[in-house]
Amino acid sequence: MRVAVCPGSFDPVTLGHMDIVRRAARQFDRVYLCAMVNDRKGAGLLTAEERRELLALAAAEMENVIADSWGGLLVDYAKKVGAGAVVKGIRDEKDLGWELEMAEYNRRADLELELETILLPAKETYRGISSTLVRECIASGKEWENYVPAAVVGALQQLQKRKGW
Ligand code: PNS
């Protein structure tokens, strides 16, 4: 079985992320959509569990996509779920530079695993969308609903009310 991981911070998940996941799900038998939680990156907007819940809502219609979260290294997660590839989207040169670095890190971190990184070019419509943009819109009281999957808008609005953003 061909298994891939789509990792990310997903704080929160955006339309751009889900376009990459949809494309990955066409190429692989199973895709683990995993919120990687790095304590050193600071608290962020959402907790690990909230990110995972939003991923589950966003991927509900995709039967070969499993939402998850993980607090350790990506290579260890890939080994745990039996994934042979990591799929990530790239929007620009900055993303590309970063992803090349990550790909090399992940390759070297476990040579036996031979974890492959597959980079998909983001569609033009999604190039300007990022989790940072959504967080900035939320912080400044601007509309953010058009940047996230329709399936997560309600849950994110509830979190917004509950947490008083
Ligand atoms: O959404 P992002 O910011 O592009 O996601 C980056 C992410 C979470 C995929 C990357 O930081 C990651 O894989 N983190 C997990 C920890 C890890 O394996 N780090 C390796 C380099 S230190």
Side-chain angles (χ1 to χ4, degrees), residues 6-11 17 34-38 40-41 70-76 86 88-89 91 95 98-99 101-102 105-106 109 131:
C6 280
S9 304
F10 301 122
D11 189 29
H17 291 134
C34 188
M36 310 299 294
V37 188
N38 180 352
R40 277 164 302 166
K41 244 187 167 181
W70 181 253
L73 287 178
L74 177 59
V75 281
D76 293 332
V86 173
K88 294 226 51 179
R91 290 163 299 190
D95 278 354
W98 169 247
E99 294 305 339
E101 220 177 282
M102 293 301 293
Y105 175 89
N106 290 325
S131 299

Side-chain angles (χ1 to χ4, degrees), residues 4-118:
V5 184
C6 280
S9 304
F10 301 122
D11 189 29
V13 63
T14 66
L15 283 176
H17 291 134
M18 291 316 293
D19 186 59
I20 299 295
V21 175
R22 212 168 289 118
R23 290 159 65 188
R26 281 206 296 266
Q27 306 296 330
F28 289 86
D29 299 309
R30 182 181 294 169
V31 172
Y32 287 88
L33 175 55
C34 188
M36 310 299 294
V37 188
N38 180 352
D39 289 340
R40 277 164 302 166
K41 244 187 167 181
L45 185 71
L46 304 167
T47 66
E49 185 50 22
E50 287 161 354
R51 293 176 208 195
R52 196 200 56 76
E53 279 169 13
L54 294 188
L55 291 178
L57 289 172
E61 308 282 296
M62 298 183 217
E63 52 187 34
N64 61 337
V65 177
I66 296 163
D68 203 356
S69 67
W70 181 253
L73 287 178
L74 177 59
V75 281
D76 293 332
Y77 181 77
K79 200 185 255 183
K80 182 175 91 95
V81 299
V86 173
V87 180
K88 294 226 51 179
I90 44 173
R91 290 163 299 190
D92 53 24
E93 294 85 350
K94 196 165 146 255
D95 278 354
L96 180 61
W98 169 247
E99 294 305 339
L100 287 177
E101 220 177 282
M102 293 301 293
E104 187 58 9
Y105 175 89
N106 290 325
R107 190 184 69 77
R108 287 187 197 200
D110 192 331
L111 291 174
E112 265 176 41
L113 191 61
E114 294 195 277
L115 188 62
E116 194 59 89
T117 296
I118 297 173

